[in-house]
Each structure stands twice: as C-alpha cells, then as structure tokens.
Amino acid sequence: MKKCMVLLAVVLCGGSLLGDDVPVNLIDGFMAEFDAPEPTKNVEYFSYGSGGNQADFTWYAGVESAREEGTRTLALTMDSEDAPGAWQGPNMNTGFTQFGTYATRVRIPHTDDQPNVGGVVGFYTFYNDEWAEDMENDWTGTGLYDNSEIDFEWLIADPEVLYLSAYTDYHGPTGETRQVSRILNLAEGHIYSTTYRERLGSDGVDLHGAENYPETIPAIENFNAADRFYTYGFDWEPDRIRWWILHPETKDTVVLWDYQGPQERITQKPARLMLNIWHTDSWSVITNPHSTEAPQADTFSVEFDWVSYDPLDDETGAIVHEGGHSASSLVRVEHGAEGGVLHFAEKGVHHVVLYDLAGARLAAYSVGDRAWQLPRFTGPVILGITSSTGRQEYRRIVPRP
C-alpha cells in the first residue's frame, strides 16, 4: 500500500520501493560534536573501520583544528603507507539511516606541499548488497547489487570543486551501475556536468528538466574548502535529493543540486552515514589530470567539527530539525479549500516559475506579497522560486483532489 507523505509541508503522494516496513532498525537523529578536551578514540554515534594498516594516528576526536583556534574536531588522516582505495583509509560509520537531512561542518586538507596528491574526502551514505546481508538483495529489480549511496565528495587537489552523486545499483567486477552525478566549481559558480550513467567511468548522458535543477549556481566569493570550515548537507526524501551549502557570510542556503528525477534513480534502501579520507591513484580531479600521486607525508587530515542527522518523521513525513544546523526553506506551501498558497520566508519580490515534470516552462510570475495564491493546475508541477536576495529553491507539488 502506498503512503501519502507531507514532505517539508508539500503534499506528495508517491510509492516507495520499500513497502510499509523497513527490515532493519533505523537509528534516531543525532548531533555528533567532537569537542573532547583532548584527543580521544571515544566517538559517539560513529564506529571506526578500515581495510588498510589501521595506523593509530589516522583517527582521533578532540583534535584542535589547524585552521580555527578553539575548535576541536574529528580528524581523519591519510596514511602514506596505505594502499589506494576507499576502504584503505579511516572510515567512520553509523547505524542505519534513511530519509532525512544530513549535515556537517568540515574543512578538507591543504595540498600546498604536494599539489598532485590523489586524495578523496567523503561525507556520504552507503550500503551495498555485495558486501552486506542486512537486507534482501536487489530491491530495485535490475539484476545488479543494490548500492544505496548519496555522496558529498572532495578531491583534495582542488578545494574549489565538489562532487555530488547518488547511486541505486553497482556491480564492482563489471562497473555496471545506476548513478546520477553533478560536478561543480563553487568559487566560479560553474557546473561542469550533470549526468546519468550506467557504467562507472563512462561519460553518461546529460540530464535536463527536473533532473537538472538549478541549471546555474551562484559563485561563493573566495570559496576554498581547505581554507576554512563550511557547512554542507543534503536532504534525502523518497522523490528528491537536495544538496546544499550554507553561505559563509549570509548564512543563506545555497542549493547546489535539487534532483527530482524518476524514483528508480533515487535510492530508497537504508544506508549507513559515513565519513572518510583515502588515497586514489586513478581518479583525478577534473581540473588537474595529474592529481593521483600517493601521499608523501602523513599530514593530509580532514577536520569534521560536527555531524548531524535529522530523520523524516514517520507520521507526518516532515523532516525533523533538532540540531538547528539544517537548511531552512525559502517557502512554505499551505493547502486549503481554494488550492495552494505560498508563504515566503523573506520580504521583497519573488520570481516564481512553473514547470512541468519534463522541465517545460508553463508560466512565470513576480510576487511582492508574503503570501500568494497558486494558480490552479491539474497535475504535478515544479515551482522554481528566486527571492529578491538571490536565494533559489525548487519544489515539486501535487494538487490535492
């Protein structure tokens, strides 16, 4: 039986591939702060694992930040003796999570002393049938291993570039996969690519319409993920994944990608929240094809100030924000007898554009009031909303019968 859920106050009715019961125990929301007064291996909510040398120095909480006085962090460090590979470096993981908001305040390592080092920092969810038996295999029915994964990744050789991706399937030996991804330069406000691929490493196909929102992003002046801490996050819902960053000066939510494609391209399977850093000898950052060198020193450390998870409420379908670090919405949608009403969080003139689910533009409006009656429509639409301060948000809404 399909459930109708209110998602961030937007009424949606969509089928979940999970059915009504989740066959694993999901953890509660949490706020993990790593501010112990001295270095410790006692890390709440997370456990450590690695297939590498497991050197003691590669992970500690309560480590004073190298860049921000007074901030103590969870520091994960690449071991120059570890082999390349995502499971060779230090990996921190939680119990099972699912729909909700994930956020972190993090600073990646500088590479001034070795500009071509091949290093990857990850903040992501992950579960793969090939290596685990907690859930039934192949829920997606593709004949591949399910790969429940949503990624924020940084290739540390270029701290201006972000890699965003989501998988539903992946088979290691063949590289066959089902993956959507976006690569962007936040200092320049440039999107290199937004694609769907069915083989890892292939060019894939460009995405358009509801799978490519927003089509442009604003630059963040002097953005450098290694120079300072930034707050990043993603909202995982049954029919969308939204990656975002909090602007370091205005504190506005800058949406990096609001993916609202077919549900079969959005993972429905629970996964573990993970943090890691590791050496890659084959994946170079898009701006530097030489950035695959092994680390020559044990000095490349990523610093996590805090990490939070706010689950989607089972009863209301709303994302519960307990930690106060999650993205705030630009607009609230109210459904009444006369149809939908938009309530804007900011003053000023808002530009509202209506699209169909294929991305075709239906109508555009300039709205100066804090509350605005939506025009009537018969099927699902996408609202593209731009505030007077330049904030953008995209919402999929379905009219009530």
Side-chain angles (χ1 to χ4, degrees):
M1 177 179 179
K2 295 181 178 179
K3 293 181 178 179
C4 291
M5 308 179 74
V6 180
L7 299 177
L8 292 174
V10 181
V11 176
L12 304 173
C13 184
S16 169
L17 300 179
L18 292 175
D20 288 342
D21 297 315
V22 176
V24 295
N25 292 323
L26 300 179
I27 65 173
D28 295 329
F30 65 83
M31 165 65 75
E33 297 182 279
F34 309 111
D35 54 355
E38 58 185 26
T40 177
K41 297 289 190 182
N42 183 16
V43 180
E44 193 174 11
Y45 305 111
F46 287 88
S47 59
Y48 163 80
S50 173
N53 294 321
Q54 301 185 17
D56 183 71
F57 73 85
T58 59
W59 69 285
Y60 270 99
V63 177
E64 187 168 356
S65 170
R67 288 275 170 169
E68 189 171 275
E69 185 177 356
T71 297
R72 291 191 172 271
T73 68
L74 172 65
L76 306 181
T77 305
M78 276 199 296
D79 182 353
S80 59
E81 299 298 320
D82 275 340
W87 300 107
Q88 299 301 304
N91 286 265
M92 309 299 293
N93 67 90
T94 68
F96 282 106
T97 64
Q98 202 189 22
F99 306 125
T101 288
Y102 301 74
T104 186
R105 186 172 185 264
V106 61
R107 185 188 71 83
I108 72 170
H110 259 289
T111 61
D112 295 346
D113 294 335
Q114 190 182 350
N116 292 331
V117 66
V120 183
V121 168
F123 169 65
Y124 64 110
T125 62
F126 180 80
Y127 179 86
N128 187 291
D129 291 345
E130 187 172 2
W131 301 292
E133 298 179 352
D134 301 270
M135 289 172 272
E136 181 181 350
N137 285 359
D138 197 18
W139 286 6
T140 54
T142 61
L144 299 174
Y145 290 114
D146 293 338
N147 193 95
S148 180
E149 183 171 354
I150 302 171
D151 297 322
F152 249 112
E153 291 178 297
W154 299 257
L155 273 64
I156 65 175
D158 191 335
E160 297 182 354
V161 176
L162 299 176
Y163 286 75
L164 316 175
S165 59
Y167 294 77
T168 56
D169 306 86
Y170 176 62
H171 182 231
T174 65
E176 190 173 359
T177 187
R178 304 290 184 271
Q179 179 208 30
V180 294
S181 67
R182 170 171 280 194
I183 306 171
L184 57 93
N185 186 309
L186 199 46
E188 298 177 359
H190 176 64
I191 299 173
Y192 295 104
S193 64
T194 305
T195 56
Y196 168 71
R197 59 179 51 85
E198 295 189 350
R199 188 162 302 280
L200 200 65
S202 69
D203 291 337
V205 296
D206 292 338
L207 295 176
H208 303 280
E211 297 186 89
N212 189 38
Y213 289 121
E215 295 181 358
T216 61
I217 58 168
I220 293 181
E221 186 177 2
N222 298 321
F223 174 80
N224 185 310
D227 274 350
R228 61 179 295 177
F229 286 88
Y230 293 88
T231 298
Y232 310 84
F234 57 89
D235 305 319
W236 174 16
E237 301 173 15
D239 61 350
R240 78 191 300 180
I241 304 170
R242 187 177 77 140
W243 289 262
W244 48 268
I245 183 173
L246 294 188
H247 194 287
E249 307 304 332
T250 67
K251 308 305 179 185
D252 288 335
T253 300
V254 179
V255 177
L256 305 174
W257 192 17
D258 189 356
Y259 180 78
Q260 300 180 60
Q263 193 180 58
E264 61 266 22
R265 296 183 182 179
I266 298 173
T267 182
Q268 307 290 301
K269 204 166 192 173
R272 299 181 188 277
L273 176 59
M274 302 190 70
L275 320 171
N276 68 2
I277 186 171
W278 52 282
H279 164 48
T280 175
D281 63 353
S282 58
W283 183 18
S284 60
V285 70
I286 192 168
T287 56
N288 180 0
H290 305 293
S291 57
T292 55
E293 293 178 356
Q296 297 168 5
D298 300 326
T299 57
F300 298 103
S301 299
V302 56
E303 300 176 341
F304 291 92
D305 181 15
W306 54 259
V307 175
S308 69
Y309 164 57
D310 299 316
L312 199 70
D313 184 83
D314 288 338
E315 298 298 324
T316 68
I319 291 177
V320 181
H321 299 296
E322 296 178 349
H325 294 287
S326 301
S328 58
S329 287
L330 178 60
V331 66
R332 177 173 62 86
V333 181
E334 177 185 19
H335 289 267
E338 300 301 319
V341 177
L342 298 186
H343 295 271
F344 299 103
E346 298 180 0
K347 296 179 180 179
V349 176
H350 292 73
H351 298 284
V352 181
V353 181
L354 271 64
Y355 304 87
D356 66 20
L357 295 189
R361 183 175 172 137
L362 302 176
Y365 307 89
S366 293
V367 182
D369 297 328
R370 293 290 291 273
W372 179 65
Q373 180 77 50
L374 276 168
R376 290 190 175 275
F377 49 90
T378 58
V381 297
I382 302 292
L383 297 181
I385 303 158
T386 304
S387 74
S388 58
T389 59
R391 291 180 61 191
Q392 290 184 310
E393 191 166 309
Y394 292 87
R395 305 290 289 272
R396 175 182 182 269
I397 64 172
V398 177
R400 283 181 172 173

